[in-house]
Amino acid sequence: MLAPIAPAVANANNPAMRTARLAAWLLALATPATVLLDAAGWLPSPDAGMPRWLWTFAAAAVLVPGAVGLGIAVRQPRNAVAWILLVGSFLAGPWPELVGARGWSLQIGRASWPLLYAWPIAVAFVFPDGTLLSRRWRWVAGIGATCFIGFMTVAMFDRSRYDHPDERVRNPMAGVVFPHWLDWIWVPFWFGILGSLFAGAIAIRLRLRRSTGIARLQTLWLAWAAALIPLGLVGCLLAHVFLGGPGSVLFAFLLVLWSVYAPSRR
């Protein structure tokens, strides 16, 4: 059974709370729907590069955060942690394949990989009560969000060829002329994303020092799970070298699965 994330419990008879719970259910169901459609090959642009043996692990890593978020949203619809998990679960799924054109699907999928790290960092900022540490942290969160959005926007203009087995798919940006500053503007955004990782670690440390009881225990487990990120990145690199792209994706998905499941069960 999930431990309570915040001290306040929403009134079940409040119409706004009922609407929020309904929205949470719809968002939570949208994620397994896209996963099942992807597994059945019914999406407009199915991913031919993911082997079938990887689907089970990837599906578990995508669905578990959404299930945890739904469990929190049913009890506390106003808790930001719940909605971050619900949205993050959907964005970690095969939603780019809903785009009909294969080229655009690949382009969106290639540009949106930072989302795999964005929502866990957002959880670190507001865990466990759904609020930031202070008003000053609004600037930190705002700068981090700007860097993620800016990097993904610039990445959408990438004109390079796609990896195997999609190297023959035409890049929709091929042949388009862009300003020369797009070749380097991603660098400050990338460093901003890297800085947000450290900011998330600092937020967890400060939250751990200030929390007590069940909140401290949950934050402690989140801190231990977050400590696996460097190990996970090394694992992704090794898996990419020895197992290829699908292996590295597996390591990343398993890392997200554990980092969300462990603290929410304590």
Side-chain angles (χ1 to χ4, degrees), residues 15-54:
M17 297 299 99
R18 291 200 300 267
T19 302
R21 291 189 181 94
L22 177 60
W25 272 103
L26 293 176
L27 186 56
L29 292 175
T31 303
T34 56
V35 171
L36 291 176
L37 290 175
D38 182 40
W42 292 344
L43 291 182
S45 302
D47 186 3
M50 180 177 290
R52 292 187 177 274
W53 64 266
L54 185 57

PDB file of all heavy atoms in Angstrom, residues 15-54:
ATOM      1  N   PRO A  15     -16.380  18.822  -5.967  1.00  0.00           N
ATOM      2  CA  PRO A  15     -16.475  18.609  -7.421  1.00  0.00           C
ATOM      3  C   PRO A  15     -15.140  18.795  -8.135  1.00  0.00           C
ATOM      4  O   PRO A  15     -14.841  18.070  -9.089  1.00  0.00           O
ATOM      5  CB  PRO A  15     -17.503  19.660  -7.861  1.00  0.00           C
ATOM      6  CG  PRO A  15     -18.302  19.948  -6.636  1.00  0.00           C
ATOM      7  CD  PRO A  15     -17.361  19.818  -5.488  1.00  0.00           C
ATOM      8  N   ALA A  16     -14.344  19.770  -7.699  1.00  0.00           N
ATOM      9  CA  ALA A  16     -13.047  19.991  -8.334  1.00  0.00           C
ATOM     10  C   ALA A  16     -12.136  18.787  -8.133  1.00  0.00           C
ATOM     11  O   ALA A  16     -11.387  18.400  -9.041  1.00  0.00           O
ATOM     12  CB  ALA A  16     -12.395  21.253  -7.771  1.00  0.00           C
ATOM     13  N   MET A  17     -12.218  18.172  -6.957  1.00  0.00           N
ATOM     14  CA  MET A  17     -11.392  17.001  -6.691  1.00  0.00           C
ATOM     15  C   MET A  17     -11.848  15.803  -7.524  1.00  0.00           C
ATOM     16  O   MET A  17     -11.032  15.024  -8.004  1.00  0.00           O
ATOM     17  CB  MET A  17     -11.431  16.650  -5.205  1.00  0.00           C
ATOM     18  CG  MET A  17     -10.858  17.716  -4.284  1.00  0.00           C
ATOM     19  SD  MET A  17      -9.110  18.072  -4.602  1.00  0.00           S
ATOM     20  CE  MET A  17      -9.238  19.566  -5.608  1.00  0.00           C
ATOM     21  N   ARG A  18     -13.169  15.665  -7.688  1.00  0.00           N
ATOM     22  CA  ARG A  18     -13.672  14.576  -8.525  1.00  0.00           C
ATOM     23  C   ARG A  18     -13.232  14.758  -9.971  1.00  0.00           C
ATOM     24  O   ARG A  18     -12.868  13.789 -10.650  1.00  0.00           O
ATOM     25  CB  ARG A  18     -15.204  14.512  -8.436  1.00  0.00           C
ATOM     26  CG  ARG A  18     -15.729  14.061  -7.077  1.00  0.00           C
ATOM     27  CD  ARG A  18     -17.154  13.548  -7.206  1.00  0.00           C
ATOM     28  NE  ARG A  18     -18.041  14.583  -7.719  1.00  0.00           N
ATOM     29  CZ  ARG A  18     -18.753  15.413  -6.959  1.00  0.00           C
ATOM     30  NH1 ARG A  18     -18.653  15.328  -5.630  1.00  0.00           N
ATOM     31  NH2 ARG A  18     -19.549  16.308  -7.495  1.00  0.00           N
ATOM     32  N   THR A  19     -13.254  15.999 -10.442  1.00  0.00           N
ATOM     33  CA  THR A  19     -12.802  16.271 -11.811  1.00  0.00           C
ATOM     34  C   THR A  19     -11.319  15.964 -11.965  1.00  0.00           C
ATOM     35  O   THR A  19     -10.895  15.383 -12.976  1.00  0.00           O
ATOM     36  CB  THR A  19     -13.077  17.743 -12.166  1.00  0.00           C
ATOM     37  OG1 THR A  19     -14.466  18.023 -12.035  1.00  0.00           O
ATOM     38  CG2 THR A  19     -12.634  18.041 -13.598  1.00  0.00           C
ATOM     39  N   ALA A  20     -10.532  16.335 -10.961  1.00  0.00           N
ATOM     40  CA  ALA A  20      -9.098  16.062 -11.012  1.00  0.00           C
ATOM     41  C   ALA A  20      -8.830  14.566 -11.014  1.00  0.00           C
ATOM     42  O   ALA A  20      -7.949  14.078 -11.734  1.00  0.00           O
ATOM     43  CB  ALA A  20      -8.396  16.722  -9.830  1.00  0.00           C
ATOM     44  N   ARG A  21      -9.589  13.811 -10.216  1.00  0.00           N
ATOM     45  CA  ARG A  21      -9.409  12.358 -10.188  1.00  0.00           C
ATOM     46  C   ARG A  21      -9.778  11.735 -11.529  1.00  0.00           C
ATOM     47  O   ARG A  21      -9.110  10.816 -12.008  1.00  0.00           O
ATOM     48  CB  ARG A  21     -10.240  11.746  -9.068  1.00  0.00           C
ATOM     49  CG  ARG A  21      -9.741  12.084  -7.664  1.00  0.00           C
ATOM     50  CD  ARG A  21     -10.491  11.269  -6.615  1.00  0.00           C
ATOM     51  NE  ARG A  21     -10.017  11.610  -5.289  1.00  0.00           N
ATOM     52  CZ  ARG A  21     -10.566  12.523  -4.502  1.00  0.00           C
ATOM     53  NH1 ARG A  21     -11.617  13.214  -4.941  1.00  0.00           N
ATOM     54  NH2 ARG A  21     -10.078  12.774  -3.304  1.00  0.00           N
ATOM     55  N   LEU A  22     -10.856  12.241 -12.132  1.00  0.00           N
ATOM     56  CA  LEU A  22     -11.257  11.739 -13.453  1.00  0.00           C
ATOM     57  C   LEU A  22     -10.172  12.018 -14.482  1.00  0.00           C
ATOM     58  O   LEU A  22      -9.831  11.146 -15.301  1.00  0.00           O
ATOM     59  CB  LEU A  22     -12.578  12.386 -13.873  1.00  0.00           C
ATOM     60  CG  LEU A  22     -13.098  12.009 -15.274  1.00  0.00           C
ATOM     61  CD1 LEU A  22     -13.339  10.512 -15.381  1.00  0.00           C
ATOM     62  CD2 LEU A  22     -14.371  12.792 -15.594  1.00  0.00           C
ATOM     63  N   ALA A  23      -9.615  13.216 -14.452  1.00  0.00           N
ATOM     64  CA  ALA A  23      -8.527  13.557 -15.377  1.00  0.00           C
ATOM     65  C   ALA A  23      -7.315  12.663 -15.138  1.00  0.00           C
ATOM     66  O   ALA A  23      -6.636  12.252 -16.090  1.00  0.00           O
ATOM     67  CB  ALA A  23      -8.150  15.028 -15.224  1.00  0.00           C
ATOM     68  N   ALA A  24      -7.037  12.360 -13.867  1.00  0.00           N
ATOM     69  CA  ALA A  24      -5.910  11.487 -13.553  1.00  0.00           C
ATOM     70  C   ALA A  24      -6.127  10.086 -14.126  1.00  0.00           C
ATOM     71  O   ALA A  24      -5.206   9.476 -14.672  1.00  0.00           O
ATOM     72  CB  ALA A  24      -5.697  11.424 -12.042  1.00  0.00           C
ATOM     73  N   TRP A  25      -7.344   9.576 -13.999  1.00  0.00           N
ATOM     74  CA  TRP A  25      -7.646   8.256 -14.557  1.00  0.00           C
ATOM     75  C   TRP A  25      -7.497   8.252 -16.081  1.00  0.00           C
ATOM     76  O   TRP A  25      -6.942   7.312 -16.665  1.00  0.00           O
ATOM     77  CB  TRP A  25      -9.061   7.841 -14.167  1.00  0.00           C
ATOM     78  CG  TRP A  25      -9.140   7.135 -12.846  1.00  0.00           C
ATOM     79  CD1 TRP A  25      -9.567   7.653 -11.656  1.00  0.00           C
ATOM     80  CD2 TRP A  25      -8.789   5.771 -12.591  1.00  0.00           C
ATOM     81  NE1 TRP A  25      -9.489   6.715 -10.663  1.00  0.00           N
ATOM     82  CE2 TRP A  25      -9.021   5.536 -11.202  1.00  0.00           C
ATOM     83  CE3 TRP A  25      -8.301   4.735 -13.378  1.00  0.00           C
ATOM     84  CZ2 TRP A  25      -8.784   4.304 -10.603  1.00  0.00           C
ATOM     85  CZ3 TRP A  25      -8.057   3.495 -12.785  1.00  0.00           C
ATOM     86  CH2 TRP A  25      -8.300   3.297 -11.418  1.00  0.00           C
ATOM     87  N   LEU A  26      -8.008   9.290 -16.734  1.00  0.00           N
ATOM     88  CA  LEU A  26      -7.909   9.359 -18.197  1.00  0.00           C
ATOM     89  C   LEU A  26      -6.453   9.414 -18.646  1.00  0.00           C
ATOM     90  O   LEU A  26      -6.058   8.730 -19.604  1.00  0.00           O
ATOM     91  CB  LEU A  26      -8.678  10.574 -18.711  1.00  0.00           C
ATOM     92  CG  LEU A  26     -10.198  10.539 -18.536  1.00  0.00           C
ATOM     93  CD1 LEU A  26     -10.824  11.848 -19.000  1.00  0.00           C
ATOM     94  CD2 LEU A  26     -10.793   9.352 -19.300  1.00  0.00           C
ATOM     95  N   LEU A  27      -5.645  10.223 -17.962  1.00  0.00           N
ATOM     96  CA  LEU A  27      -4.233  10.334 -18.318  1.00  0.00           C
ATOM     97  C   LEU A  27      -3.502   9.035 -18.026  1.00  0.00           C
ATOM     98  O   LEU A  27      -2.638   8.611 -18.812  1.00  0.00           O
ATOM     99  CB  LEU A  27      -3.594  11.493 -17.551  1.00  0.00           C
ATOM    100  CG  LEU A  27      -2.139  11.848 -17.898  1.00  0.00           C
ATOM    101  CD1 LEU A  27      -1.994  12.133 -19.384  1.00  0.00           C
ATOM    102  CD2 LEU A  27      -1.684  13.053 -17.075  1.00  0.00           C
ATOM    103  N   ALA A  28      -3.842   8.389 -16.910  1.00  0.00           N
ATOM    104  CA  ALA A  28      -3.187   7.125 -16.569  1.00  0.00           C
ATOM    105  C   ALA A  28      -3.545   6.028 -17.560  1.00  0.00           C
ATOM    106  O   ALA A  28      -2.703   5.178 -17.877  1.00  0.00           O
ATOM    107  CB  ALA A  28      -3.584   6.708 -15.151  1.00  0.00           C
ATOM    108  N   LEU A  29      -4.764   6.027 -18.077  1.00  0.00           N
ATOM    109  CA  LEU A  29      -5.181   5.012 -19.039  1.00  0.00           C
ATOM    110  C   LEU A  29      -4.633   5.288 -20.438  1.00  0.00           C
ATOM    111  O   LEU A  29      -4.503   4.363 -21.252  1.00  0.00           O
ATOM    112  CB  LEU A  29      -6.709   4.924 -19.085  1.00  0.00           C
ATOM    113  CG  LEU A  29      -7.387   4.382 -17.819  1.00  0.00           C
ATOM    114  CD1 LEU A  29      -8.891   4.461 -17.956  1.00  0.00           C
ATOM    115  CD2 LEU A  29      -6.943   2.947 -17.548  1.00  0.00           C
ATOM    116  N   ALA A  30      -4.335   6.556 -20.732  1.00  0.00           N
ATOM    117  CA  ALA A  30      -3.795   6.889 -22.053  1.00  0.00           C
ATOM    118  C   ALA A  30      -2.421   6.251 -22.263  1.00  0.00           C
ATOM    119  O   ALA A  30      -2.086   5.859 -23.390  1.00  0.00           O
ATOM    120  CB  ALA A  30      -3.705   8.406 -22.214  1.00  0.00           C
ATOM    121  N   THR A  31      -1.640   6.124 -21.187  1.00  0.00           N
ATOM    122  CA  THR A  31      -0.294   5.556 -21.326  1.00  0.00           C
ATOM    123  C   THR A  31      -0.330   4.080 -21.693  1.00  0.00           C
ATOM    124  O   THR A  31       0.296   3.680 -22.683  1.00  0.00           O
ATOM    125  CB  THR A  31       0.503   5.770 -20.028  1.00  0.00           C
ATOM    126  OG1 THR A  31       0.549   7.170 -19.736  1.00  0.00           O
ATOM    127  CG2 THR A  31       1.914   5.236 -20.170  1.00  0.00           C
ATOM    128  N   PRO A  32      -1.040   3.206 -20.948  1.00  0.00           N
ATOM    129  CA  PRO A  32      -1.086   1.798 -21.375  1.00  0.00           C
ATOM    130  C   PRO A  32      -1.752   1.603 -22.724  1.00  0.00           C
ATOM    131  O   PRO A  32      -1.441   0.653 -23.443  1.00  0.00           O
ATOM    132  CB  PRO A  32      -1.869   1.101 -20.251  1.00  0.00           C
ATOM    133  CG  PRO A  32      -2.610   2.180 -19.555  1.00  0.00           C
ATOM    134  CD  PRO A  32      -1.758   3.394 -19.673  1.00  0.00           C
ATOM    135  N   ALA A  33      -2.678   2.521 -23.076  1.00  0.00           N
ATOM    136  CA  ALA A  33      -3.315   2.410 -24.390  1.00  0.00           C
ATOM    137  C   ALA A  33      -2.289   2.572 -25.509  1.00  0.00           C
ATOM    138  O   ALA A  33      -2.270   1.776 -26.465  1.00  0.00           O
ATOM    139  CB  ALA A  33      -4.420   3.455 -24.521  1.00  0.00           C
ATOM    140  N   THR A  34      -1.418   3.581 -25.392  1.00  0.00           N
ATOM    141  CA  THR A  34      -0.394   3.770 -26.426  1.00  0.00           C
ATOM    142  C   THR A  34       0.623   2.629 -26.420  1.00  0.00           C
ATOM    143  O   THR A  34       1.105   2.218 -27.475  1.00  0.00           O
ATOM    144  CB  THR A  34       0.332   5.107 -26.218  1.00  0.00           C
ATOM    145  OG1 THR A  34       0.888   5.151 -24.891  1.00  0.00           O
ATOM    146  CG2 THR A  34      -0.615   6.270 -26.389  1.00  0.00           C
ATOM    147  N   VAL A  35       0.937   2.107 -25.222  1.00  0.00           N
ATOM    148  CA  VAL A  35       1.882   0.992 -25.142  1.00  0.00           C
ATOM    149  C   VAL A  35       1.311  -0.257 -25.814  1.00  0.00           C
ATOM    150  O   VAL A  35       2.002  -0.951 -26.569  1.00  0.00           O
ATOM    151  CB  VAL A  35       2.245   0.698 -23.670  1.00  0.00           C
ATOM    152  CG1 VAL A  35       3.053  -0.594 -23.556  1.00  0.00           C
ATOM    153  CG2 VAL A  35       3.031   1.846 -23.074  1.00  0.00           C
ATOM    154  N   LEU A  36       0.037  -0.555 -25.550  1.00  0.00           N
ATOM    155  CA  LEU A  36      -0.588  -1.724 -26.157  1.00  0.00           C
ATOM    156  C   LEU A  36      -0.714  -1.568 -27.673  1.00  0.00           C
ATOM    157  O   LEU A  36      -0.502  -2.528 -28.432  1.00  0.00           O
ATOM    158  CB  LEU A  36      -1.963  -1.954 -25.533  1.00  0.00           C
ATOM    159  CG  LEU A  36      -1.970  -2.422 -24.070  1.00  0.00           C
ATOM    160  CD1 LEU A  36      -3.393  -2.510 -23.545  1.00  0.00           C
ATOM    161  CD2 LEU A  36      -1.262  -3.769 -23.943  1.00  0.00           C
ATOM    162  N   LEU A  37      -1.073  -0.368 -28.108  1.00  0.00           N
ATOM    163  CA  LEU A  37      -1.162  -0.133 -29.550  1.00  0.00           C
ATOM    164  C   LEU A  37       0.203  -0.274 -30.207  1.00  0.00           C
ATOM    165  O   LEU A  37       0.318  -0.785 -31.335  1.00  0.00           O
ATOM    166  CB  LEU A  37      -1.746   1.260 -29.815  1.00  0.00           C
ATOM    167  CG  LEU A  37      -3.225   1.447 -29.482  1.00  0.00           C
ATOM    168  CD1 LEU A  37      -3.631   2.905 -29.676  1.00  0.00           C
ATOM    169  CD2 LEU A  37      -4.096   0.537 -30.340  1.00  0.00           C
ATOM    170  N   ASP A  38       1.236   0.170 -29.511  1.00  0.00           N
ATOM    171  CA  ASP A  38       2.589   0.035 -30.045  1.00  0.00           C
ATOM    172  C   ASP A  38       2.990  -1.433 -30.118  1.00  0.00           C
ATOM    173  O   ASP A  38       3.589  -1.876 -31.101  1.00  0.00           O
ATOM    174  CB  ASP A  38       3.564   0.801 -29.162  1.00  0.00           C
ATOM    175  CG  ASP A  38       4.991   0.737 -29.677  1.00  0.00           C
ATOM    176  OD1 ASP A  38       5.175   0.828 -30.905  1.00  0.00           O
ATOM    177  OD2 ASP A  38       5.915   0.570 -28.864  1.00  0.00           O
ATOM    178  N   ALA A  39       2.673  -2.207 -29.065  1.00  0.00           N
ATOM    179  CA  ALA A  39       3.016  -3.626 -29.071  1.00  0.00           C
ATOM    180  C   ALA A  39       2.283  -4.376 -30.176  1.00  0.00           C
ATOM    181  O   ALA A  39       2.826  -5.315 -30.776  1.00  0.00           O
ATOM    182  CB  ALA A  39       2.690  -4.237 -27.707  1.00  0.00           C
ATOM    183  N   ALA A  40       1.053  -3.947 -30.461  1.00  0.00           N
ATOM    184  CA  ALA A  40       0.283  -4.594 -31.514  1.00  0.00           C
ATOM    185  C   ALA A  40       0.635  -4.089 -32.903  1.00  0.00           C
ATOM    186  O   ALA A  40       0.166  -4.646 -33.906  1.00  0.00           O
ATOM    187  CB  ALA A  40      -1.214  -4.385 -31.257  1.00  0.00           C
ATOM    188  N   GLY A  41       1.464  -3.045 -32.967  1.00  0.00           N
ATOM    189  CA  GLY A  41       1.848  -2.494 -34.263  1.00  0.00           C
ATOM    190  C   GLY A  41       0.762  -1.694 -34.925  1.00  0.00           C
ATOM    191  O   GLY A  41       0.739  -1.555 -36.148  1.00  0.00           O
ATOM    192  N   TRP A  42      -0.162  -1.135 -34.123  1.00  0.00           N
ATOM    193  CA  TRP A  42      -1.301  -0.405 -34.683  1.00  0.00           C
ATOM    194  C   TRP A  42      -1.107   1.096 -34.679  1.00  0.00           C
ATOM    195  O   TRP A  42      -1.995   1.831 -35.120  1.00  0.00           O
ATOM    196  CB  TRP A  42      -2.575  -0.750 -33.903  1.00  0.00           C
ATOM    197  CG  TRP A  42      -3.015  -2.164 -34.114  1.00  0.00           C
ATOM    198  CD1 TRP A  42      -2.616  -3.002 -35.100  1.00  0.00           C
ATOM    199  CD2 TRP A  42      -3.943  -2.900 -33.306  1.00  0.00           C
ATOM    200  NE1 TRP A  42      -3.217  -4.226 -34.969  1.00  0.00           N
ATOM    201  CE2 TRP A  42      -4.042  -4.203 -33.872  1.00  0.00           C
ATOM    202  CE3 TRP A  42      -4.692  -2.602 -32.164  1.00  0.00           C
ATOM    203  CZ2 TRP A  42      -4.858  -5.180 -33.331  1.00  0.00           C
ATOM    204  CZ3 TRP A  42      -5.510  -3.574 -31.628  1.00  0.00           C
ATOM    205  CH2 TRP A  42      -5.595  -4.855 -32.200  1.00  0.00           C
ATOM    206  N   LEU A  43       0.014   1.578 -34.160  1.00  0.00           N
ATOM    207  CA  LEU A  43       0.245   3.015 -34.194  1.00  0.00           C
ATOM    208  C   LEU A  43       0.600   3.450 -35.618  1.00  0.00           C
ATOM    209  O   LEU A  43       1.109   2.648 -36.413  1.00  0.00           O
ATOM    210  CB  LEU A  43       1.365   3.395 -33.232  1.00  0.00           C
ATOM    211  CG  LEU A  43       1.040   3.250 -31.739  1.00  0.00           C
ATOM    212  CD1 LEU A  43       2.217   3.694 -30.899  1.00  0.00           C
ATOM    213  CD2 LEU A  43      -0.199   4.053 -31.361  1.00  0.00           C
ATOM    214  N   PRO A  44       0.354   4.713 -35.954  1.00  0.00           N
ATOM    215  CA  PRO A  44       0.652   5.174 -37.316  1.00  0.00           C
ATOM    216  C   PRO A  44       2.103   4.980 -37.723  1.00  0.00           C
ATOM    217  O   PRO A  44       2.397   4.723 -38.888  1.00  0.00           O
ATOM    218  CB  PRO A  44       0.275   6.664 -37.265  1.00  0.00           C
ATOM    219  CG  PRO A  44      -0.731   6.760 -36.173  1.00  0.00           C
ATOM    220  CD  PRO A  44      -0.318   5.752 -35.152  1.00  0.00           C
ATOM    221  N   SER A  45       3.041   5.131 -36.777  1.00  0.00           N
ATOM    222  CA  SER A  45       4.467   4.998 -37.082  1.00  0.00           C
ATOM    223  C   SER A  45       5.127   4.078 -36.063  1.00  0.00           C
ATOM    224  O   SER A  45       5.813   4.521 -35.147  1.00  0.00           O
ATOM    225  CB  SER A  45       5.155   6.365 -37.068  1.00  0.00           C
ATOM    226  OG  SER A  45       4.558   7.232 -37.998  1.00  0.00           O
ATOM    227  N   PRO A  46       4.900   2.743 -36.147  1.00  0.00           N
ATOM    228  CA  PRO A  46       5.447   1.825 -35.143  1.00  0.00           C
ATOM    229  C   PRO A  46       6.963   1.821 -35.152  1.00  0.00           C
ATOM    230  O   PRO A  46       7.597   2.054 -36.183  1.00  0.00           O
ATOM    231  CB  PRO A  46       4.879   0.468 -35.566  1.00  0.00           C
ATOM    232  CG  PRO A  46       4.595   0.604 -37.029  1.00  0.00           C
ATOM    233  CD  PRO A  46       4.187   2.033 -37.219  1.00  0.00           C
ATOM    234  N   ASP A  47       7.537   1.563 -33.983  1.00  0.00           N
ATOM    235  CA  ASP A  47       8.986   1.543 -33.830  1.00  0.00           C
ATOM    236  C   ASP A  47       9.508   0.171 -34.229  1.00  0.00           C
ATOM    237  O   ASP A  47       9.346  -0.807 -33.496  1.00  0.00           O
ATOM    238  CB  ASP A  47       9.371   1.850 -32.388  1.00  0.00           C
ATOM    239  CG  ASP A  47      10.884   1.977 -32.212  1.00  0.00           C
ATOM    240  OD1 ASP A  47      11.606   1.887 -33.227  1.00  0.00           O
ATOM    241  OD2 ASP A  47      11.328   2.172 -31.067  1.00  0.00           O
ATOM    242  N   ALA A  48      10.142   0.096 -35.386  1.00  0.00           N
ATOM    243  CA  ALA A  48      10.680  -1.177 -35.852  1.00  0.00           C
ATOM    244  C   ALA A  48      12.033  -1.488 -35.247  1.00  0.00           C
ATOM    245  O   ALA A  48      12.534  -2.596 -35.388  1.00  0.00           O
ATOM    246  CB  ALA A  48      10.795  -1.163 -37.395  1.00  0.00           C
ATOM    247  N   GLY A  49      12.639  -0.525 -34.574  1.00  0.00           N
ATOM    248  CA  GLY A  49      13.978  -0.738 -34.041  1.00  0.00           C
ATOM    249  C   GLY A  49      14.007  -1.399 -32.685  1.00  0.00           C
ATOM    250  O   GLY A  49      15.060  -1.838 -32.244  1.00  0.00           O
ATOM    251  N   MET A  50      12.885  -1.476 -31.968  1.00  0.00           N
ATOM    252  CA  MET A  50      12.868  -2.070 -30.641  1.00  0.00           C
ATOM    253  C   MET A  50      12.541  -3.552 -30.734  1.00  0.00           C
ATOM    254  O   MET A  50      11.461  -3.929 -31.196  1.00  0.00           O
ATOM    255  CB  MET A  50      11.853  -1.366 -29.732  1.00  0.00           C
ATOM    256  CG  MET A  50      11.805  -1.953 -28.327  1.00  0.00           C
ATOM    257  SD  MET A  50      10.672  -1.077 -27.223  1.00  0.00           S
ATOM    258  CE  MET A  50      11.564   0.463 -27.020  1.00  0.00           C
ATOM    259  N   PRO A  51      13.426  -4.443 -30.288  1.00  0.00           N
ATOM    260  CA  PRO A  51      13.144  -5.884 -30.328  1.00  0.00           C
ATOM    261  C   PRO A  51      12.041  -6.252 -29.354  1.00  0.00           C
ATOM    262  O   PRO A  51      11.807  -5.571 -28.351  1.00  0.00           O
ATOM    263  CB  PRO A  51      14.485  -6.508 -29.928  1.00  0.00           C
ATOM    264  CG  PRO A  51      15.190  -5.452 -29.155  1.00  0.00           C
ATOM    265  CD  PRO A  51      14.766  -4.145 -29.757  1.00  0.00           C
ATOM    266  N   ARG A  52      11.358  -7.368 -29.634  1.00  0.00           N
ATOM    267  CA  ARG A  52      10.220  -7.767 -28.824  1.00  0.00           C
ATOM    268  C   ARG A  52      10.608  -8.098 -27.391  1.00  0.00           C
ATOM    269  O   ARG A  52       9.813  -7.894 -26.476  1.00  0.00           O
ATOM    270  CB  ARG A  52       9.512  -8.962 -29.473  1.00  0.00           C
ATOM    271  CG  ARG A  52       8.826  -8.605 -30.787  1.00  0.00           C
ATOM    272  CD  ARG A  52       8.005  -9.763 -31.312  1.00  0.00           C
ATOM    273  NE  ARG A  52       7.286  -9.399 -32.533  1.00  0.00           N
ATOM    274  CZ  ARG A  52       6.107  -8.825 -32.553  1.00  0.00           C
ATOM    275  NH1 ARG A  52       5.508  -8.523 -31.412  1.00  0.00           N
ATOM    276  NH2 ARG A  52       5.515  -8.524 -33.687  1.00  0.00           N
ATOM    277  N   TRP A  53      11.822  -8.611 -27.181  1.00  0.00           N
ATOM    278  CA  TRP A  53      12.210  -8.977 -25.819  1.00  0.00           C
ATOM    279  C   TRP A  53      12.344  -7.752 -24.919  1.00  0.00           C
ATOM    280  O   TRP A  53      12.291  -7.856 -23.695  1.00  0.00           O
ATOM    281  CB  TRP A  53      13.533  -9.744 -25.832  1.00  0.00           C
ATOM    282  CG  TRP A  53      14.719  -8.966 -26.334  1.00  0.00           C
ATOM    283  CD1 TRP A  53      15.202  -8.953 -27.616  1.00  0.00           C
ATOM    284  CD2 TRP A  53      15.576  -8.095 -25.589  1.00  0.00           C
ATOM    285  NE1 TRP A  53      16.297  -8.133 -27.717  1.00  0.00           N
ATOM    286  CE2 TRP A  53      16.554  -7.596 -26.484  1.00  0.00           C
ATOM    287  CE3 TRP A  53      15.619  -7.690 -24.252  1.00  0.00           C
ATOM    288  CZ2 TRP A  53      17.550  -6.710 -26.083  1.00  0.00           C
ATOM    289  CZ3 TRP A  53      16.620  -6.815 -23.856  1.00  0.00           C
ATOM    290  CH2 TRP A  53      17.562  -6.337 -24.766  1.00  0.00           C
ATOM    291  N   LEU A  54      12.479  -6.584 -25.532  1.00  0.00           N
ATOM    292  CA  LEU A  54      12.635  -5.359 -24.757  1.00  0.00           C
ATOM    293  C   LEU A  54      11.300  -4.731 -24.382  1.00  0.00           C
ATOM    294  O   LEU A  54      11.229  -3.911 -23.461  1.00  0.00           O
ATOM    295  CB  LEU A  54      13.482  -4.364 -25.549  1.00  0.00           C
ATOM    296  CG  LEU A  54      13.873  -3.041 -24.880  1.00  0.00           C
ATOM    297  CD1 LEU A  54      14.613  -3.285 -23.574  1.00  0.00           C
ATOM    298  CD2 LEU A  54      14.721  -2.209 -25.826  1.00  0.00           C
TER     299      LEU A  54
END
